[in-house]
Amino acid sequence: MTLPVDTLTPEAVAPFGWLLGKPYPEAANAVAFTNAATDFRREHLFHPGEGGEVEVLWVSYRNADPTVDTLERHLLTQQAVVPLVGGIVQILATSLPDGTPDLDCLRAFSVPPGMGICMKPEVWHATRSTGSTCLMLTRPTTTVDLIGHMAHGRTPTETELHDVQGIRLASAPI
Ligand SMILES: NC(=O)N[C@@H](O)C(=O)O
């Protein structure tokens, strides 16, 4: 399957989570402020899952391989990824009733610096980039669990990984 890399819109991201970096809200009841010197607005109320804390992670991505052979998902927490330097391509899929990725709704989005995506728990994902430094919001127990898996081969309990075949991005990550 050749996967087009789409532009971020709130609607396109909605099945998977929330677009971060939307235009300044016009709604009268928006939690927002603007003046000549600054503006700020509530983008999202992040939730790390029951009993979780919010963890700020600094993540570098440098896998530019357009082929995607593994997706992962976090079972407890939302996860926000915001490129600061260098863009990413975020590959996303929801789950079938059996928990495996629903490849019929597989999407890829180009995420430039200054925008981001907050994924719902259990959203399958992978990330490609020629080089990006990102701010990530996640959950400490999920991070430690993932390190245990990636560094020491332990079976993760808060993350699932799933092998996929024949998925290739239509355009190489920037
Ligand atoms: N640290 C961490 O959780 N990383 C992964 O989830 C990822 O998507 O990069």
Side-chain angles (χ1 to χ4, degrees):
M1 163 201 309
T2 301
L3 190 57
V5 179
D6 296 329
T7 305
L8 286 169
T9 66
E11 299 75 22
V13 171
F16 312 103
W18 303 268
L19 170 61
L20 305 177
K22 298 180 286 292
Y24 188 84
E26 298 304 328
N29 64 347
V31 180
F33 173 81
T34 185
N35 68 11
T38 184
D39 61 58
F40 48 88
R41 67 276 199 177
R42 176 180 296 163
E43 278 283 329
H44 177 63
L45 292 174
F46 182 84
H47 202 303
E50 218 40 61
E53 295 172 290
V54 179
E55 178 183 48
V56 175
L57 219 54
W58 227 245
V59 185
S60 297
Y61 292 108
R62 43 186 175 267
N63 178 353
D65 185 346
T67 301
V68 178
D69 52 17
T70 305
L71 297 174
E72 71 176 41
R73 68 174 185 164
H74 307 301
L75 302 176
L76 304 180
T77 183
Q78 296 177 1
Q79 189 167 76
V81 57
V82 183
L84 304 174
V85 179
I88 64 172
V89 172
Q90 194 73 357
I91 298 100
L92 300 167
T94 53
S95 302
L96 290 169
D98 68 359
T100 58
D102 182 353
L103 299 184
D104 287 341
C105 74
L106 189 69
R107 298 287 295 272
F109 295 101
S110 176
V111 188
M115 306 240 354
I117 294 173
C118 184
M119 296 174 283
K120 300 172 187 174
E122 300 190 342
V123 166
W124 293 97
H125 58 277
T127 309
R128 291 293 183 271
S129 177
T130 56
S132 179
T133 300
C134 299
L135 180 146
M136 176 176 279
L137 298 183
T138 185
R139 174 186 173 117
T141 56
T142 294
T143 300
V144 169
D145 184 53
L146 195 57
I147 292 171
H149 170 64
M150 296 177 77
H152 308 292
R154 289 195 283 270
T155 302
T157 59
E158 297 189 16
T159 294
E160 289 179 349
L161 297 109
H162 189 87
D163 291 338
V164 290
Q165 273 83 36
I167 297 172
R168 186 178 178 83
L169 296 176
S171 48
I174 41 178

